Amino acid sequence: MTLGVTKRQAEMLAIIRTYIDEHGYSPSYVELADAMNIKSLGNIHDKVKALQERGHLEYRPGAPRSITLL
């Protein structure tokens, strides 16, 4: 598990990393929600924001597919 993150946040980082490796761009919130079996996009946003605050990724609010792993 990545230091400083919860198990679910580590899972999200792994999903994002794999998606970017396979597609060349980041997943949408809907794709993240599907991959993590989460129904609420607000929950996805909260996890993305928490990972940004911990310095694991960056994203531009309102910009599609703007998640960048650090």
Side-chain angles (χ1 to χ4, degrees), residues 1 6-10 12 22 26-27 31 33 35 39-40 44-46 48 51 53-55 59-60 65-66 69-70:
M1 182 182 331
T6 67
K7 183 178 178 182
R8 289 292 275 173
Q9 289 169 343
M12 178 179 273
E22 291 176 358
S26 64
E31 290 163 336
K39 298 200 184 311
S40 167
I44 294 295
H45 174 75
D46 291 345
V48 168
L51 287 168
E53 289 169 356
R54 287 176 173 81
Y59 78 102
R60 291 184 318 274
R65 301 188 185 274
S66 66
L69 295 176
L70 300 178

Side-chain angles (χ1 to χ4, degrees), residues 2-44:
T2 305
L3 242 36
V5 297
T6 67
K7 183 178 178 182
R8 289 292 275 173
Q9 289 169 343
E11 178 185 354
M12 178 179 273
L13 285 171
I15 290 167
I16 293 169
R17 186 173 295 109
T18 300
Y19 192 96
I20 291 172
D21 287 347
E22 291 176 358
H23 300 280
Y25 52 86
S26 64
S28 68
Y29 277 18
V30 171
E31 290 163 336
L32 279 173
D34 287 345
M36 297 185 73
N37 199 27
I38 294 175
K39 298 200 184 311
S40 167
L41 295 183
N43 194 340
I44 294 295

